[in-house]
């Protein structure tokens, strides 16, 4: 649940993963029942093609993570910083 909340809050609104995370959070009681229920919810969203680029695999085909996963980690870390900057002005918590 917390990972989905993090994705929802730290990814740009127009980014493809944000509506997926939002829907998974809405349907959380359903999706935690099993894989079939999770797939039912995920089937509403088109899946990108998996690809490993030369730079993401360091030249070894099928090694490492997809570039999309690395990009997701990067976007989340930047988004967390942005989120923290939005709620703290240097002196006061702004909520």
């Amino acid at each position: 649940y917390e990972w989905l909340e993090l994705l929802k809050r730290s990814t740009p609104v127009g980014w493809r993963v944000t509506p997926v995370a939002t829907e998974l959070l809405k349907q959380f009681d359903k999706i935690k029942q099993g894989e079939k229920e999770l797939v039912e919810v995920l089937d509403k969203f088109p899946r990108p093609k998996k690809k490993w680029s030369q730079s993401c695999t360091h030249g070894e085909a099928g090694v490492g993570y997809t570039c999309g996963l690395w990009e997701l980690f990067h976007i989340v870390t930047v988004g967390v910083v942005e989120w923290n900057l939005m709620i703290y002005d240097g002196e006061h918590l702004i909520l």
Side-chain angles (χ1 to χ4, degrees), residues 50-70 73:
K50 295 178 190 176
K51 72 176 185 177
W52 280 259
S53 77
Q54 184 76 4
S55 61
C56 294
T57 63
H58 302 288
E60 296 182 46
V63 174
Y65 300 108
T66 63
C67 284
L69 185 59
W70 285 119
F73 290 154

Side-chain angles (χ1 to χ4, degrees), residues 6-77:
L6 177 65
L7 288 178
K8 180 182 170 190
R9 292 175 186 253
S10 64
T11 54
V13 176
W15 216 46
R16 181 173 32 203
V17 74
T18 309
V20 177
T22 301
E23 185 64 23
L24 290 172
L25 282 165
K26 286 180 189 174
Q27 304 272 350
F28 194 74
D29 286 335
K30 176 182 179 176
I31 66 170
K32 68 181 183 179
Q33 293 174 8
E35 182 180 355
K36 178 181 164 246
E37 290 78 10
L38 172 62
V39 171
E40 281 178 18
V41 175
L42 289 176
D43 279 344
K44 297 175 186 175
F45 301 93
R47 289 183 183 82
K49 294 182 178 175
K50 295 178 190 176
K51 72 176 185 177
W52 280 259
S53 77
Q54 184 76 4
S55 61
C56 294
T57 63
H58 302 288
E60 296 182 46
V63 174
Y65 300 108
T66 63
C67 284
L69 185 59
W70 285 119
E71 290 171 5
L72 177 63
F73 290 154
H74 176 73
I75 294 292
V76 168
T77 57

